[in-house]
């Protein structure tokens, strides 16, 4: 299906492999080596430390095919021939190795001799002052096709200061019919005629604070060649969406929507294809829909894609149905996709359903806003109101504009952009500021000492040497009694917090001279272990030899919890299906927390079965086997890999044998600490099961001594209840049930009394009816009345009034409830109780819904209740 793109990837990597470059796998879309970035947006991101000279190079020339994601041009997608959010960047890189001559020669040779691109349609841009590059290009292409450009287009820099250098682009002429028709149209024009297919960055300068450029002692090469654009050029196409990477997806869209890819739908189909592909890979790399950070971006592109389907007249979830086709195309290069198919589909489907509900309630809210402005003879809707709809409720800005236009209104676009940019800047600043300080400080230290060797899987006591001491974010020569600081050692037996597992605790000591407690261990950059310590005795200095002592019981309890998460993962998949996938975890001393993809709450009886099954596996005392093997072998053996994790060629696997010693029960890729046999866990107890996000459930549990303590506490509580009720423990439930029955009877008697009192006021309520624009409406606010009584009052008022739109709300302690009723005559006129309830609930920060004639809801926010009840007419929309 996609042989051309597969062959081009393979050909590129093999070509540069033959030039001595090491082939490096793609990094995750969540950068593993730069926490200041939301996403991997270029091939060089995973090599940033190499470019900055902060890594001890294991290689000096590499090549890769990198997954990338950008939203900077999101509004252009579908309307140009080249813009995408998710794309693959082919690259080759040199770190103080080859430079301009080889980079230019090899790239040209690959494009013209391997890809057979026509030389007469190729152009080159260079920096106007880069005479070296100009001379090199003149050896392979006519001077008339070398275009000199300025800093704006042909000079790359990482920041205001630091590494930078000129760059050179290779463009292909797609034909005069693709041009803008302007007299000055040529290479560098913004139109689609001249397509950039390769960019060569020559990092040769170090920019100073005064703007001067100093030569770097070690010059680097960073090249990027967009795969999708290259496939376009090689295949003689005019648009990336006409290549084998997209055509099957677009055909799949046609089949699902039952709409042809005609001119009016082309841009919509392309947005759907691009955004769907991006969503699949973001979820594969561990991003889940949310309202912050990466999750917000994922949610945004999914909603943009779903919105295109709505514009085509399709009002059901459909993006999830594209996932199998996307995976079929990309799986040969990214094999992990296949095992995640069901989970990715499920996550997308839940998000689609949620957004379709948002569109319905958002439409009601927008109608309220429009009615409000019209009632005041205003024709321009505030950008703040539009942005609130967009940011808080997910209602698309473009849809707001379209509906406003149909109502003869416009939007204050400038105000909207200000609100949007302010929010984006706050988000970006908080993200960067929270990451950048630590990343910069520890990167400098990392350059000095590189990775820490971990030797603690089987060692609880060992020797090491102090390399660096830190106090108050500064390097120091010593730490003394009472100091709280950080220690970097030549090697460590302390497990550093990672993969969801908490770090070890213990001591660093020098016999009879120094003692400190190790409170935690973390990895701020690379595999650099930083030990947070509190000095209890003596003084420690740089270069001292020390003894490391792990808190063994603390380590064992964490190991019990970690191995249990593997058992829990397996049992969940056995119980509910392989769509269950881990979405996060916390393995600490006190408990284990396991987040997983699921779209329904687990029943109590199922939780009991899961707990019993895990305890049965614990009692079987099966062996836990740790092996290191090639990742390809691990995959063949069925090892589970986690969302978003990047694995090396050799991986550590944790296998739990079947109880009958015949084969493997569970196998996962994992770098954490584990027990030797399942019997070492002792006992497992589930503490809770809950929802933590849309489509994500969480189970919390405890094992071993912590579980025993938990059971003893519950036994103590049961004993106290037994004493209070004066019954044996075996009779507690019967006694409590009797009390509940008696309580409910008293409650019913009280409600009956309340009903009688309220019904005596029916006539006075009925007199409050108002008529506006020919509509009878009645809104009532009562106190301390439950929903059942509100339903009863509404039924009595309906019988009495015959023709009415009715809202009754009760203000109770710390919450409210309400009912909405619409008589049949008004339903025929288009008034909908469900829509009124949703709009009313939105104004009181609550929730509500129902049918055409009756709906109900409530809120825990009482601040706006009285005002909302008094203004019922603003929720009545025809």
């Amino acid at each position: 299906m996609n042989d051309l793109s597969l062959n081009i990837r393979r050909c590129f990597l093999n070509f540069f492999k033959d030039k001595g470059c090491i082939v490096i796998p793609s990094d995750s879309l969540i950068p593993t080596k730069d926490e200041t970035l939301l996403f991997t947006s270029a091939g060089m991101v995973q090599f940033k430390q190499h470019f900055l000279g902060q890594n001890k190079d294991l290689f000096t020339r590499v090549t890769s095919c990198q997954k990338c994601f950008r939203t900077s041009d999101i509004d252009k997608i579908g309307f140009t021939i080249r813009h995408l959010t998710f794309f693959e960047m082919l690259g080759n890189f040199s770190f103080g190795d080859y430079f301009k001559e080889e980079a230019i020669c090899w790239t040209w040779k690959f494009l013209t001799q391997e890809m057979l691109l026509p030389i007469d349609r190729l152009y080159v841009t260079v920096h106007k002052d880069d005479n070296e590059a100009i001379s090199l290009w003149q050896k392979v292409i006519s001077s008339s096709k070398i275009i000199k450009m300025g800093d704006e287009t042909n000079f790359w820099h990482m920041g205001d200061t630091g590494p930078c250098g000129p760059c050179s682009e290779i463009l292909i002429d797609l034909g005069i019919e693709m041009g803008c028709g302007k007299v000055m149209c040529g290479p560098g024009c913004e139109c689609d005629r001249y397509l950039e297919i390769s960019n060569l960055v020559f990092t040769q300068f170090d920019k100073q604070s005064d703007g001067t450029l100093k030569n770097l002692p070690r010059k680097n090469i960073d090249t990027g060649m967009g795969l999708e654009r290259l496939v376009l050029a090689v295949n003689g196409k005019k648009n990336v969406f006409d290549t084998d990477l997209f055509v099957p997806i677009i055909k799949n869209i046609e089949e699902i929507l039952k709409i042809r890819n005609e001119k009016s739908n082309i841009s919509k189909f392309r947005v759907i294809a691009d955004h769907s592909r991006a969503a699949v890979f973001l979820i594969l790399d561990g991003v889940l829909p949310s309202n912050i950070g990466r999750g917000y971006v994922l949610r945004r592109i999914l909603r943009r894609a779903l919105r295109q389907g709505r514009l085509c007249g399709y009002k059901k979830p459909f993006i999830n149905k594209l996932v199998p086709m996307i995976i079929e195309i990309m799986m040969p290069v990214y094999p992990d996709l296949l095992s995640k198919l069901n989970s990715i589909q499920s996550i997308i489907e839940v998000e689609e359903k949620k957004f379709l509900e948002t569109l319905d309630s958002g439409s009601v809210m927008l109608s309220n806003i429009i009615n409000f402005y019209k009632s005041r003879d205003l024709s321009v809707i505030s950008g703040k109101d539009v942005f609130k709809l967009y940011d808080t409720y997910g209602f698309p800005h473009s849809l707001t504009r379209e509906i406003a236009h149909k109502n003869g209104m416009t939007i204050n676009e400038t105000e909207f952009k200000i609100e949007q940019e302010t929010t984006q800047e706050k988000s970006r600043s908080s993200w960067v500021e929270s990451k950048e300080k630590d990343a910069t400080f520890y990167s400098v230290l990392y350059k000095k000492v590189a990775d820490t060797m971990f030797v603690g899987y089987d060692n609880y006591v060992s020797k090491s040497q102090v390399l660096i001491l830190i106090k108050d974010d500064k390097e120091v020569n010593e730490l003394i009694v009472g100091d709280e600081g950080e220690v970097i050692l030549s090697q460590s037996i302390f497990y550093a917090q990672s993969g969801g597992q908490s770090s070890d605790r213990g001591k660093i000591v020098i016999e009879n001279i120094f003692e400190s407690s190790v409170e935690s261990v973390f990895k701020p950059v690379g595999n650099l272990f930083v030990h947070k310590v509190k000095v209890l005795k003596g003084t420690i200095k740089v270069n001292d030899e020390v003894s490391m002592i792990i808190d063994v019981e603390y380590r064992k309890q964490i190991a019990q919890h970690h191995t249990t998460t593997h058992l829990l993962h397996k049992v969940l998949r056995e119980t509910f299906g392989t769509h269950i996938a881990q979405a996060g975890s916390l393995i600490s001393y006190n408990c284990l927390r396991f987040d997983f993809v699921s779209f329904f709450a687990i029943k109590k009886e199922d939780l009991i079965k899961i707990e019993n099954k895990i305890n049965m596996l614990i009692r079987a005392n099966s062996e836990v086997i740790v092996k290191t093997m090639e990742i390809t072998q691990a995959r063949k053996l069925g090892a589970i890999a986690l969302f978003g994790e990047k694995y090396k060629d050799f991986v550590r696997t944790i296998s739990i044998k079947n109880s009958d010693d015949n084969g493997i029960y569970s196998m996962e890729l994992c770098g954490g600490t584990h027990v030797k046999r399942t019997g070492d866990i002792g006992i497992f107890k589930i503490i809770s099961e809950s929802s933590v996000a849309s489509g994500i459930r969480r189970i919390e549990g405890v094992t071993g001594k912590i579980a025993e303590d938990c059971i003893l506490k519950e036994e103590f509580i049961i004993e106290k209840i037994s004493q209070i009720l004066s019954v044996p423990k075996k009779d507690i439930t019967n006694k409590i049930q009797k009390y509940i029955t008696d309580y409910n009877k008293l409650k019913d008697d009280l409600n009956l009394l309340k009903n009688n009192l309220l019904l005596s006021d029916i006539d006075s309520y009925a007199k409050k009816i108002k008529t506006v624009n020919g509509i009878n409406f009645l809104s009532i606010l009562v106190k301390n009345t439950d929903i059942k009584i509100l339903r009863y009052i509404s039924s009595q008022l309906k019988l009495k009034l015959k023709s009415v739109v009715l809202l009754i709300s009760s203000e109770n302690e710390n919450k409210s409830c309400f009912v909405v009723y619409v008589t049949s005559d008004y339903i025929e006129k288009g008034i909908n109780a469900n829509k009124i309830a949703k709009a009313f609930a939105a104004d009181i920060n609550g929730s509500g819904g129902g049918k055409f004639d009756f709906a109900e809801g409530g809120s825990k926010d009482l601040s706006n209740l009285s005002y909302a009840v008094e203004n019922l007419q603003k929720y009545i929309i025809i």
Side-chain angles (χ1 to χ4, degrees), residues 293-445:
R294 300 181 179 105
Y296 175 74
V297 178
L298 171 59
R299 172 164 285 168
R300 182 185 173 201
I301 64 167
L302 278 171
R303 292 182 170 189
R304 285 185 98 249
L306 192 59
R307 165 74 178 134
Q308 303 309 306
R310 294 272 292 201
L311 291 174
C312 291
Y314 197 83
K315 298 184 178 181
K316 298 177 182 178
F318 68 91
I319 300 169
N320 66 91
K321 297 175 183 176
L322 298 173
V323 174
M325 177 58 69
I326 294 168
I327 288 180
E328 184 179 340
I329 295 169
M330 305 300 287
M331 187 184 63
V333 186
Y334 305 101
D336 285 352
L337 281 166
L338 185 59
S339 64
K340 302 294 191 293
L341 190 155
N342 291 336
S343 297
I344 293 171
Q345 270 193 297
S346 299
I347 291 166
I348 290 176
E349 184 178 11
V350 166
E351 185 63 19
E352 288 185 275
K353 289 178 178 177
K354 186 174 182 179
F355 182 51
L356 290 174
E357 293 173 4
T358 296
L359 284 178
D360 289 337
S361 58
S363 296
V364 174
M365 294 184 67
L366 178 56
S367 295
N368 294 338
I369 292 171
I370 288 172
N371 288 341
F372 175 82
Y373 277 82
K374 281 184 174 180
S375 69
R376 287 159 176 76
D377 293 326
L378 300 172
S379 61
V380 181
I381 301 175
S382 162
K384 291 183 178 180
D385 286 339
V386 177
F387 184 74
K388 183 179 180 181
L389 270 176
Y390 166 76
D391 189 52
T392 306
Y393 302 103
F395 199 74
H397 170 224
S398 59
L399 182 56
T400 301
R401 187 195 301 117
E402 181 184 318
I403 295 172
H405 180 71
K406 287 180 180 178
N407 283 270
M409 306 181 77
T410 59
I411 293 169
N412 188 326
E413 298 287 358
T414 302
E415 199 171 64
F416 176 83
K417 286 181 180 178
I418 290 171
E419 290 292 314
Q420 187 178 41
E421 289 169 1
T422 300
T423 302
Q424 288 173 345
E425 180 58 29
K426 285 180 180 177
S427 177
R428 189 200 69 81
S429 297
S430 62
W431 179 274
V432 172
E433 286 170 10
S434 67
K435 305 289 183 181
E436 209 163 50
K437 180 181 175 183
D438 285 348
T440 302
F441 175 69
Y442 290 110
S443 289
V444 173
L445 302 182

Side-chain angles (χ1 to χ4, degrees), residues 169-189:
E169 296 176 348
I170 302 174
L171 316 173
I172 186 167
D173 182 359
L174 296 180
I176 191 170
E177 70 277 10
M178 300 297 292
C180 57
K182 295 178 182 177
V183 176
M184 299 301 292
C185 181
C189 183

Side-chain angles (χ1 to χ4, degrees), residues 631-649:
I631 190 162
T632 51
Q633 181 188 359
R635 286 196 179 110
K636 286 178 182 176
L637 293 173
I640 293 178
L642 303 184
F643 277 114
E645 289 291 327
K646 182 186 177 185
Y647 298 101
K648 297 180 179 179
D649 292 339

